[in-house]
Amino acid sequence: MWRLIARGAVVAALICSAGPALASQNAQYGDDFRQMDVKSCSTKAIDALSEQKFIEGNNDGQVVWGFDEQSVVLVRCVPYNNGVWIEVLAASRSPAEAERLRNIIRIRVFDARRTPPDILAVTRFNGDGLNRVKRPRTQPAAHWGYDHRPKSLAACTDDAKAAMQKSGLAISTSGNSVVWGQSGSALALVKCLSIPSGVDILVFATSDVSATAEAYRNNIRILTFK
């Protein structure tokens, strides 16, 4: 995994081994607001990945990500009003597993009854440990980036649609803030969140091939972040 800063945007990638073809419906997204701080959100998120017996989990403060044998999960904790906007994305070899992980991780992170004092706060875990046989790693590759721009929500989604169309992706939408794009080899998502200074933008792409996911992430990010 690598992480870099470019033009104020945070860019990250999860590299994986190749495996069976990734169907377009094998990614699930959900978000909502909760009155908690970012640390509580991220602590709950990495704890939820650990509960699901993930091979690896990482907590970068506002972003938590991890993977198991066939799935990748990303959780973003965005400071928002007096709380946090929580974004949960799951991609998997199995459509049912992508939906299950999205749902269970979302429930665990959104649950106000679970508080950080009851959870062991960690920044990284390795579920295989040093003395275990390594589990197979056939999860799809995922690349993402996020930043904010001084534009309207409508302008953000319009730019995302234009970026996906230029990238040759078939476009669909969820509500007025989420744009999906798909091809035979990749699936992409842009989430636009209204904030006082404009919009917070998440760009996510997944594919069997890391370079393919990275290219879609980069192309969509450039045009959406303009």
Side-chain angles (χ1 to χ4, degrees):
M1 185 268 185
W2 54 263
R3 187 170 180 265
L4 58 87
I5 305 298
R7 296 181 182 177
V10 176
V11 183
L14 178 61
I15 309 302
C16 76
S17 56
L22 175 69
S24 62
Q25 70 269 26
N26 288 13
Q28 296 281 338
Y29 175 81
D31 59 15
D32 204 353
F33 171 80
R34 285 295 183 273
Q35 204 155 21
M36 69 176 76
D37 57 30
V38 169
K39 184 176 181 180
S40 297
C41 172
S42 62
T43 300
K44 289 183 181 185
I46 196 165
D47 181 67
L49 298 187
S50 178
E51 284 186 338
Q52 294 303 306
K53 310 300 183 185
F54 269 39
I55 293 173
E56 185 175 314
N58 298 270
N59 181 354
D60 287 343
Q62 290 189 17
V63 177
V64 173
W65 62 270
F67 59 90
D68 64 10
E69 294 91 333
Q70 64 173 343
S71 308
V72 180
V73 169
L74 171 71
V75 180
R76 276 191 76 213
C77 304
V78 184
Y80 188 80
N81 292 338
N82 295 319
V84 63
W85 191 268
I86 307 168
E87 301 172 342
V88 180
L89 230 166
S92 179
R93 298 290 174 200
S94 160
E97 182 65 2
E99 183 175 13
R100 186 193 73 82
L101 283 171
R102 187 274 317 270
N103 290 344
I104 192 64
I105 299 298
R106 183 176 57 186
I107 288 169
R108 301 300 280 172
V109 179
F110 289 1
D111 188 351
R113 295 169 297 179
R114 303 181 72 244
T115 59
D118 301 323
I119 302 169
L120 179 62
V122 297
T123 57
R124 187 178 186 275
F125 70 81
N126 183 336
D128 281 354
L130 297 176
N131 300 316
R132 299 184 186 179
V133 175
K134 286 189 176 181
R135 288 175 281 172
R137 303 184 181 198
T138 61
Q139 75 278 6
H143 288 247
W144 60 87
Y146 54 90
D147 202 0
H148 52 83
R149 288 292 184 271
K151 63 171 76 177
S152 68
L153 182 67
C156 178
T157 55
D158 285 346
D159 288 344
K161 291 174 186 177
M164 291 187 184
Q165 186 174 36
K166 187 172 182 179
S167 298
L169 299 174
I171 301 166
S172 60
T173 59
S174 298
N176 66 348
S177 63
V178 177
V179 181
W180 293 90
Q182 66 181 60
S183 69
S185 62
L187 177 70
L189 171 143
V190 173
K191 164 65 182 182
C192 301
L193 175 66
S194 292
I195 57 176
S197 60
V199 284
D200 176 274
I201 309 169
L202 168 66
V203 178
F204 178 92
T206 184
S207 173
D208 284 339
V209 181
S210 179
T212 299
E214 182 180 14
Y216 277 114
R217 188 278 313 274
N218 290 345
N219 293 336
I220 294 168
R221 184 188 68 215
I222 288 169
L223 294 176
T224 306
F225 286 5
K226 69 179 182 180

